[in-house]
Amino acid sequence: MNIEQEIDAFFTKVIQTLEKIDKSRLQQFVKVLIDAYQRESTIFIFGNGGSANTASHFCGDFVKGVSYGCSKRFKIICLNDNISALMAIANDISYEDIFSEQLKNFLKKDDVVIGISCSGNSVNVIKAIEYANTAGAMTIALCGFRGGNLKRIANLVIHADIDDMEVSEDIHLIVTHFAKQTIIKWLQASDCKMS
């Protein structure tokens, strides 16, 4: 195995996939997050496996990295971080309901719900997005591969168009970091009042 060739091949896949991202959708993504902040809506995010890590990371970035020092802060909850709730719902109801059941406790009209699924076919993510749609929330999908059913039902879709799990996950993390940095700059230039 030629490791240098593997490096070049992997980096090329990431770069080519990034170049296919619809930049207007990235602009919409940032605008939706800013709008939620301005009206003090809650942002919910979730996923399975590596996507769960991305969701948790995104939440942590906005709770601390984006909000720190501002008197008005982002309201954001990662639904895959409450292990007790996840296990109880999975055991007593169904693993397919681990996110939608939590949304039933908290979700309000005009909140934002972000589901991450590289395949786009994770049933628990789809059920949560479907519930959020019926509740009047703004739904966002981060997906990969062909986008699956998630691509069809979310209000806004950011699609890492590649048949590669790891590259899809990498793109989703890049997208969330882009949103973080952009919104920090917006806050610094606008209405972040220091607490």
Side-chain angles (χ1 to χ4, degrees):
M1 176 191 294
N2 185 321
I3 295 177
E4 186 175 346
Q5 285 180 352
E6 293 299 318
I7 293 168
D8 290 341
F10 189 86
F11 281 19
T12 297
K13 286 192 290 186
V14 172
I15 292 165
Q16 288 176 345
T17 306
L18 275 174
E19 288 173 344
K20 289 190 281 185
I21 296 283
D22 184 340
K23 291 183 178 66
S24 69
R25 294 186 182 209
L26 295 180
Q27 291 175 344
Q28 285 179 268
F29 182 49
V30 169
K31 185 176 185 313
V32 167
L33 297 174
I34 289 171
D35 288 349
Y37 169 82
Q38 289 179 319
R39 67 177 179 266
E40 299 187 24
S41 295
T42 302
I43 300 163
F44 299 92
I45 189 165
F46 47 87
N48 298 285
S51 296
N53 284 336
T54 299
S56 187
H57 189 142
F58 179 83
C59 184
D61 277 349
F62 274 73
V63 166
K64 188 268 180 185
V66 176
S67 295
Y68 180 74
C70 292
S71 55
K72 181 177 176 180
R73 297 177 176 229
F74 274 84
K75 295 180 178 181
I76 182 164
I77 298 171
C78 180
L79 297 181
N80 50 257
D81 282 352
N82 187 332
I83 298 301
S84 184
L86 290 174
M87 299 302 287
I89 295 166
N91 186 64
D92 299 339
I93 304 168
S94 165
Y95 190 76
E96 294 178 0
D97 296 302
I98 59 172
F99 303 132
S100 58
E101 284 297 314
Q102 291 185 76
L103 286 177
K104 290 174 185 177
N105 287 46
F106 303 112
L107 189 65
K108 295 179 182 172
K109 186 178 183 295
D110 296 325
D111 283 343
V112 175
V113 176
I114 306 169
I116 310 175
S117 170
C118 289
S119 71
N121 290 315
S122 299
V123 177
N124 53 14
V125 174
I126 290 168
K127 285 187 80 168
I129 294 295
E130 288 174 337
Y131 173 76
N133 283 336
T134 64
M138 172 65 182
T139 56
I140 300 172
L142 301 185
C143 55
F145 291 84
R146 297 291 175 264
N149 289 323
L150 195 57
K151 185 177 180 183
R152 181 179 53 79
I153 64 171
N155 300 136
L156 173 62
V157 177
I158 298 173
H159 182 203
D161 187 9
I162 187 169
D163 293 339
D164 186 303
M165 185 66 69
E166 288 73 26
V167 173
S168 293
E169 291 177 349
D170 292 341
I171 299 301
H172 294 159
L173 189 58
I174 289 169
V175 165
T176 63
H177 278 158
F178 155 76
K180 174 190 177 182
Q181 287 196 355
T182 303
I183 290 172
I184 286 173
K185 289 175 184 175
W186 173 81
L187 285 167
Q188 289 170 343
S190 59
D191 65 350
C192 178
K193 305 295 188 289
M194 300 306 287
S195 55

